[in-house]
Amino acid sequence: HSLRLWLHVQLVAGISYTLALRLKQQGRDVSPILAQRGGLLHDIAKLSSIGKVHSKSHSEMGWEILNSYGQPKLAEISRRHILHAIQDPQLKPQSWEEKIVFYADKLAEGSHLVSLDERVEALKQRYGQWADNIQNSLPALYQLQTELAGALNLPEQEILPYLQKAFNGQPN
């Protein structure tokens, strides 16, 4: 489990850094380093909770852990990355870094870069009891993708190929 988690957060960090660099090139106020670190640490609570049952979500626990280290921006990235947060006015991602890590996490199925549709299907399979909640999150999730595509100056359908090219070492 911990190797799978490590590969997942590495991928989320890579996606986050790549998208943040592109946003910065488009003139947005974003820190690629903060986005990359947020991607690495968004699931920090899962490391200590593998095989355990908790009353709090791993995103809330991650928020507590990262705040205890004096990292409020990283704490917010963790707190706001879970799917249902996108529907909650208090929890939905606000900063570019929060939005990027949230989105990057939804393109990372384990250690594989996948489309939003593929990831949503995998989440429904894995968390069948939450399938309705997942379905209800879709309009806001696709709205975030539209917002990011505009800021990235890429058509929505070009985000995934852009990332695939970046990760395969081809110039964009």
Side-chain angles (χ1 to χ4, degrees):
H1 280 333
S2 57
L3 175 60
R4 181 175 164 83
L5 180 61
W6 177 240
L7 293 172
H8 170 72
V9 299
Q10 287 278 348
L11 177 58
V12 173
I15 295 168
S16 298
Y17 185 75
T18 302
L19 293 178
L21 274 181
R22 170 93 183 192
L23 277 182
K24 196 158 187 66
Q25 290 166 351
Q26 301 302 315
R28 304 297 170 150
D29 182 19
V30 62
S31 166
I33 296 296
L34 178 60
Q36 189 260 354
R37 299 300 191 273
L40 278 178
L41 295 169
H42 76 282
D43 278 343
I44 190 170
K46 283 190 173 181
L47 264 184
S48 60
S49 64
I50 289 174
K52 297 179 189 157
V53 177
H54 294 279
S55 58
K56 294 180 193 162
S57 69
H58 75 278
S59 60
E60 282 295 322
M61 289 168 46
W63 180 79
E64 290 174 1
I65 292 166
L66 292 163
N67 268 319
S68 76
Y69 283 101
Q71 297 294 328
K73 289 181 179 177
L74 290 171
E76 285 303 320
I77 289 171
S78 174
R79 191 172 91 157
R80 297 172 186 273
H81 87 272
I82 54 175
L83 184 58
H84 74 78
I86 194 93
Q87 300 179 84
D88 183 334
Q90 301 299 315
L91 268 186
K92 71 184 247 187
Q94 301 295 321
S95 70
W96 282 120
E97 294 86 359
E98 291 166 8
K99 291 175 182 181
I100 289 168
V101 173
F102 177 96
Y103 183 68
D105 185 51
K106 306 313 168 281
L107 297 180
E109 176 56 32
S111 59
H112 300 285
L113 179 62
V114 297
S115 70
L116 217 44
D117 292 335
E118 290 171 299
R119 175 71 159 143
V120 165
E121 277 313 305
L123 289 171
K124 284 182 188 174
Q125 294 292 321
R126 192 172 317 128
Y127 303 110
Q129 72 274 29
W130 305 112
D132 288 347
N133 289 0
I134 294 168
Q135 191 63 38
N136 293 340
S137 300
L138 295 186
L141 180 56
Y142 285 97
Q143 189 177 343
L144 175 64
Q145 180 173 257
T146 300
E147 178 189 355
L148 284 171
L152 291 162
N153 196 21
L154 284 172
E156 285 181 58
Q157 67 275 14
E158 289 301 312
I159 296 173
L160 198 59
Y162 176 83
L163 290 166
Q164 288 165 331
K165 279 186 198 165
F167 290 165
N168 290 329
Q170 298 167 9
N172 283 306

